[in-house]
Amino acid sequence: MTTCPVCGEHLEEPRPAECPACGARLEGPTEAFSPVGSEADRVAELPATDLSTGPVLVVRKGPEVGERFFIDRPTLAVGRGPECDIFLNDFTVSRSHAVLEMAGDEVSVRDAGSLNGTYVNGVRVDKAQLSDGDILHIGKFQMVFMNRGGA
């Protein structure tokens, strides 16, 4: 038997829309709904990527799911600032968040003093070398590093 959450009056089944004793509006039974995720919560399957042009970051989770950033220069600035080589448009990303550095076949990421930090495979790093399949987190962005020919 259920009771009115306001006055404690015992309610008969089926439960009325209002309590007969105090007149409080009674909500219906709780229904189960599937959670609705935002665009930022989507996780994409990794698209086929031509790695012949060199290493690439593929956004797997975040506002720009599916976006690819080819690492084609020795240094790439990553951040929310419009001057950045890799522009990640979200307030969780610092204006100058990180720097990607490529030397030969090796690619590393260096945090540029960001507020929220730079993470590789869930570990906050100041600097780390990236290996094929590593997950780079910058703000809400989760990116997979792909470099099957090198690092």
Side-chain angles (χ1 to χ4, degrees):
M1 182 176 270
T2 59
T3 59
C4 173
V6 176
C7 70
E9 178 75 20
H10 291 287
L11 304 171
E12 293 182 25
E13 296 296 331
R15 200 162 94 178
E18 293 181 356
C19 175
C22 70
R25 186 171 189 327
L26 303 172
E27 298 294 323
T30 303
E31 295 182 34
F33 293 97
S34 299
V36 177
S38 69
E39 286 292 311
D41 293 334
R42 291 189 310 144
V43 175
E45 294 297 317
L46 292 178
T49 300
D50 179 11
L51 296 175
S52 64
T53 58
V56 63
L57 285 173
V58 180
V59 178
R60 188 174 103 162
K61 183 178 180 182
E64 310 281 335
V65 170
E67 184 81 25
R68 297 173 191 174
F69 301 107
F70 289 92
I71 303 168
D72 57 358
R73 287 178 266 165
T75 304
L76 293 169
V78 181
R80 185 172 40 96
E83 70 283 351
C84 289
D85 302 304
I86 297 178
F87 176 65
L88 301 177
N89 189 18
D90 190 79
F91 69 92
T92 60
V93 178
S94 296
R95 289 186 187 280
S96 177
H97 199 104
V99 176
L100 290 168
E101 299 168 331
M102 185 169 61
D105 286 341
E106 293 183 358
V107 177
S108 60
V109 62
R110 178 175 43 85
D111 187 80
S114 68
L115 182 62
N116 291 329
T118 300
Y119 295 80
V120 175
N121 299 325
V123 177
R124 189 171 183 158
V125 297
D126 289 326
K127 185 172 183 172
Q129 182 175 333
L130 297 175
S131 298
D132 186 52
D134 280 349
I135 305 295
L136 176 62
H137 269 104
I138 294 180
K140 288 184 179 179
F141 292 83
Q142 182 186 86
M143 297 170 279
V144 178
F145 177 71
M146 299 170 72
N147 188 23
R148 298 211 168 81

